[in-house]
């Protein structure tokens, strides 16, 4: 059986199986070593984009591998245009292997086939890939792009509420590395936003856009809704957050998990199964209502909700429900 827990809502509105994409950031390898590791496992056709970017097209979709260094990528593209790969570029890649992350962007995979990603992770581990704990600079992580069951306002709002109620617990459950806590892109939603979200009387796209952009008009969120909102109305998002790095997609962009690729017992299932708790809460109206009431009853004027007390209570509540 797959180690990837399956959510209550497994299919999309058209009956197709939902999908999830993963992005892994790691160091410890040169780009050439990482590229060879990926090619050793994937059965597909490679298209080299530059000396530090390549894509492998498979039956499941296209896997993209790149050295995450904008300047080096730009230089590499310029040389690639004239079919020149200078020796110094590989030397820089070797020097950068300890500090500049390599990113593997996996295509959206059916939820019942996520374990097909395990051999890729295993191969990179054996090649010497290192994760979050190896770098105090890069703040390496795993991103999960979870396709929603549908794009109705009610569904989007349910996921926002579920994540908001669980976000403090998730930080502890993922054991988020200190370097990542203070780095960009994994900030949590403000408590005032959560208070207002939980008391919204009805779900509407205008309400979701207005409230989210009032408090979260930034890519610096552990659950970044901007790609999904851009998929629904890109002009409206860009009017508030003028950033061409926002990639439109019909999915939630979740950045909180560490990448612990160097650890033998670790795989992507460990991070997915923590996210799965959000999936379950979003699909359970009664549980959501109960936890929302708890949050609002614990919210004190000016002081808000006591974080330690909330996390302890949520953990016990989840265990009582059999979700942990």
């Amino acid at each position: 059986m797959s180690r990837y827990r399956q959510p209550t809502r497994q299919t999309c509105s058209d009956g197709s199986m939902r999908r999830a994409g993963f992005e892994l950031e790691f160091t410890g390898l040169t780009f050439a070593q990482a590229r060879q590791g990926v090619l050793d496992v994937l059965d597909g056709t490679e298209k080299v984009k530059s000396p530090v970017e390549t894509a492998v097209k498979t039956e499941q979709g296209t896997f993209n591998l790149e050295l995450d260094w904008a300047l080096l990528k730009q230089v590499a593209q310029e040389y690639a245009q004239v079919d020149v790969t200078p020796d110094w570029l590989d030397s820089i890649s070797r020097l950068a292997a300890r500090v500049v992350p390599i990113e593997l962007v996996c295509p959206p995979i059916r939820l019942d086939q996520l374990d097909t990603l395990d051999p890729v992770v295993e191969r990179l581990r054996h090649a010497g890939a290192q994760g979050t704990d190896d770098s105090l600079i890069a703040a390496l992580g795993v991103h999960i792009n979870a396709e929603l069951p549908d794009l109705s306002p009610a569904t989007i709002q349910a996921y926002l509420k579920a994540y908001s109620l669980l976000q403090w617990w998730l930080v502890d459950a993922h054991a988020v590395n200190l370097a990542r806590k203070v780095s960009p892109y994994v900030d949590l939603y403000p408590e005032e936003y959560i208070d207002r979200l939980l008391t919204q009387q009805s779900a509407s796209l205008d309400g979701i856009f207005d409230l989210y952009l009032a408090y979260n008009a930034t890519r610096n969120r552990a659950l970044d809704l901007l790609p999904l909102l851009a998929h629904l109305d890109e002009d409206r998002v860009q009017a508030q957050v003028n950033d061409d790095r926002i990639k439109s997609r019909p999915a939630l962009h979740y950045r909180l998990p560490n990448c612990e690729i160097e650890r033998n017992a670790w795989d992507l299932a460990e991070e997915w199964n923590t996210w799965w708790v959000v999936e379950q809460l979003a699909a359970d109206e009664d549980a959501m209502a109960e936890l929302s009431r708890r949050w609002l009853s614990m919210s004190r004027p000016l002081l808000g909700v006591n974080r330690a007390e909330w996390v302890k209570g949520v953990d016990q509540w989840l265990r009582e429900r059999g979700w942990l």
Side-chain angles (χ1 to χ4, degrees):
M1 293 181 61
S2 173
R3 291 187 59 242
Y4 294 81
R5 302 184 76 175
Q6 296 299 298
T8 297
R9 301 187 68 182
Q10 289 182 273
T11 58
C12 298
S13 54
D14 62 2
S16 62
M17 176 65 68
R18 288 175 59 200
R19 300 173 299 169
F22 290 81
E23 302 171 29
L24 292 83
E25 299 168 330
F26 55 91
T27 56
L29 301 176
T30 66
F31 180 79
Q33 290 170 330
R35 169 182 172 269
Q36 189 58 55
V38 170
L39 291 175
D40 286 345
V41 176
L42 295 179
D43 182 15
T45 303
E46 183 185 22
K47 180 180 180 180
V48 177
K49 299 180 180 180
S50 81
V52 290
E53 292 178 282
T54 195
V56 183
K57 186 176 181 180
T58 72
E59 289 184 355
Q60 292 183 310
T62 300
F63 291 75
N64 291 288
L65 185 75
E66 62 181 46
L67 191 66
D68 192 12
W69 191 357
L71 177 61
L72 184 58
K73 284 160 51 178
Q74 180 181 343
V75 172
Q77 287 172 344
E78 292 173 357
Y79 275 95
Q81 290 174 3
V82 293
D83 278 337
V84 175
T85 306
D87 292 340
W88 62 262
L89 188 61
D90 183 61
S91 298
I92 292 177
S93 177
R94 291 182 182 279
L95 290 172
R98 299 298 296 182
V99 292
V100 179
I102 294 174
E103 184 174 33
L104 175 63
V105 180
C106 306
I109 305 291
R110 286 169 51 111
L111 296 188
D112 60 350
Q113 296 178 359
L114 293 179
D115 54 3
T116 60
L117 296 174
D118 294 345
V120 182
V121 174
E122 187 71 15
R123 180 64 185 83
L124 291 171
R125 175 186 297 118
H126 286 314
Q130 298 290 315
T132 304
D133 290 340
D134 188 59
S135 175
L136 295 176
I137 302 173
L140 311 171
V142 168
H143 301 179
I144 301 175
N145 299 304
E147 183 179 30
L148 291 171
D150 61 67
L151 298 181
S152 69
T155 293
I156 297 171
Q157 188 183 69
Y159 274 85
L160 280 172
K161 287 183 177 181
Y163 167 78
S164 295
L165 289 165
L166 295 172
Q167 65 172 0
W168 288 344
W169 175 84
L170 288 165
V171 171
D172 287 5
H174 286 299
V176 177
N177 178 279
L178 177 60
R180 300 193 67 239
K181 287 181 181 179
V182 299
S183 70
Y185 307 129
V186 294
D187 276 3
L188 304 180
Y189 293 156
E191 284 190 56
E192 186 177 350
Y193 168 74
I194 299 174
D195 290 341
R196 294 191 58 185
L197 175 67
L198 297 181
T199 53
Q200 276 190 326
Q201 296 302 311
S202 60
S204 70
L205 280 183
D206 282 342
I208 289 169
F209 267 90
D210 290 344
L211 186 60
Y212 187 86
L213 293 176
Y215 289 92
N216 306 291
T218 173
R219 294 176 65 236
N220 184 11
R221 291 292 183 264
L223 182 64
D224 181 5
L225 200 68
L226 295 180
L228 174 61
L229 296 183
H231 175 77
L232 297 171
D233 190 337
E234 187 165 8
D235 290 341
R236 189 169 181 176
V237 171
Q238 288 295 335
Q240 292 269 0
V241 191
N242 187 14
D243 192 329
D244 58 12
R245 293 172 298 175
I246 299 172
K247 297 179 181 178
S248 170
R249 55 167 70 99
L252 301 171
H253 188 51
Y254 181 57
R255 297 192 181 99
L256 201 54
N258 296 329
C259 178
E260 300 180 15
I261 193 170
E262 75 284 355
R263 184 163 61 85
N264 287 331
W266 182 87
D267 59 20
L268 293 174
E270 186 170 330
E271 311 309 334
W272 169 261
N273 291 344
T274 302
W275 166 258
W276 173 90
V277 179
V278 179
E279 293 277 350
Q280 295 308 94
L281 182 57
D284 192 326
E285 292 185 14
D286 291 339
M288 183 92 75
E290 179 184 342
L291 204 56
S292 296
R293 286 192 296 269
R294 289 194 182 195
W295 172 277
L296 295 171
S297 69
M298 292 176 63
S299 185
R300 300 161 297 173
L302 300 179
L303 297 177
V305 177
N306 181 286
R307 179 166 178 164
E309 183 181 351
W310 177 256
V311 170
K312 181 179 179 180
V314 165
D315 192 77
Q316 180 179 346
W317 184 81
L318 292 173
R319 292 182 188 281
E320 291 171 353
R321 300 192 71 84
W323 289 355
L324 296 182

